[in-house]
Amino acid sequence: RYNHSAKFGVGAGTNYTYQWYQKGSTAPRPYNDLSTLPLHARAFYIYSEKLDLFTQYTYSRSQSHNAPSSQNLADSVTNSITLGVNGEISPKLSGTASIGYSHLNFDNALTPSQNSLISSLSLSWKYNQKTSSTLTLDRSFSPSAQGFSNLSTFARFNLNHRFLEDLTGIGYLSIGHSEYTYPSAEEYGETSSFDSYGFGISFLKR
């Protein structure tokens, strides 16, 4: 991030992911290795010292690997734009919230493009000097390794407590719901979904 003036700032970022899958019989929709490279550009309006308004554009390229060309159904480009707010709401509460629109366009000319609303929310609450919590809600839209589009809704609650100066405990609960739609679902009627649940406890010693 770079603050161009007292009221305006710009930012950019990227990351790269590569997912490897075991080979086996998953006909008729095999899993293929999948790489994703998103490019983010963000513009900020500095409303106050503690609050920013922003808009973000993301261009994301997804590419399937190790598959016959006829099965490279995940090859696609996703364009997304979001509006959001980021900052400190009170001395104890801070966070980021955004809402936007995502358009998924497949390389395969016979595969119809898809689109969806996306959103995210992250709130951090500081109870005292030793205890804090974070609530994260996320709704995202992306291609999957089988060529399906994946509309994912995810929620996670973290609780952090510092027992000693160099020892912190972290506990979390999470829940997720994913809806998969095959690009030609109108023809094949292929849709599926699943729910996921998780919890965990960890300790961090510095």
Side-chain angles (χ1 to χ4, degrees):
R1 171 172 170 166
Y2 170 71
N3 287 344
H4 177 69
S5 66
K7 284 295 181 182
F8 293 97
V10 294
T14 187
N15 61 281
Y16 178 80
T17 60
Y18 192 103
Q19 301 173 13
W20 284 271
Y21 290 89
Q22 294 177 325
K23 302 304 177 184
S25 178
T26 55
R29 303 294 172 226
Y31 286 85
N32 299 312
D33 293 352
L34 180 67
S35 64
T36 305
L37 177 65
L39 304 173
H40 311 282
R42 181 177 287 194
F44 299 89
Y45 172 70
I46 305 171
Y47 182 79
S48 68
E49 292 183 357
K50 297 182 178 181
L51 191 65
D52 292 337
L53 305 178
F54 67 85
T55 181
Q56 176 173 295
Y57 168 73
T58 300
Y59 172 91
S60 182
R61 177 67 184 174
S62 296
Q63 191 81 34
S64 57
H65 302 270
N66 303 325
S69 59
S70 61
Q71 296 179 2
N72 288 355
L73 298 174
D75 294 354
S76 59
V77 170
T78 303
N79 290 278
S80 305
I81 187 166
T82 58
L83 300 173
V85 58
N86 172 67
E88 185 177 307
I89 303 170
S90 72
K92 291 189 173 183
L93 181 64
S94 61
T96 302
S98 67
I99 187 170
Y101 175 84
S102 183
H103 178 77
L104 176 57
N105 188 43
F106 295 91
D107 290 1
N108 187 335
L110 299 178
T111 303
S113 61
Q114 300 182 33
N115 48 73
S116 176
L117 291 176
I118 55 175
S119 59
S120 66
L121 174 68
S122 178
L123 294 174
S124 297
W125 180 269
K126 186 176 181 180
Y127 300 99
N128 51 51
Q129 292 296 323
K130 292 186 176 182
T131 307
S132 63
S133 65
T134 302
L135 174 65
T136 302
L137 304 173
D138 185 73
R139 182 177 174 87
S140 59
F141 186 60
S142 62
S144 74
Q146 289 180 290
F148 292 77
S149 62
N150 176 18
L151 179 60
S152 174
T153 304
F154 180 80
R156 176 168 172 151
F157 178 78
N158 279 36
L159 182 63
N160 305 329
H161 182 76
R162 179 164 52 84
F163 296 101
L164 302 171
E165 287 297 327
D166 60 349
L167 180 63
T168 300
I170 304 168
Y172 79 88
L173 296 171
S174 66
I175 184 172
H177 178 75
S178 293
E179 299 177 3
Y180 290 88
T181 303
Y182 193 68
S184 300
E186 296 82 3
E187 179 181 354
Y188 298 103
E190 294 186 52
T191 60
S192 62
S193 65
F194 72 89
D195 297 319
S196 61
Y197 307 90
F199 68 92
I201 298 174
S202 61
F203 296 93
L204 176 63
K205 192 176 189 310
R206 299 178 179 177

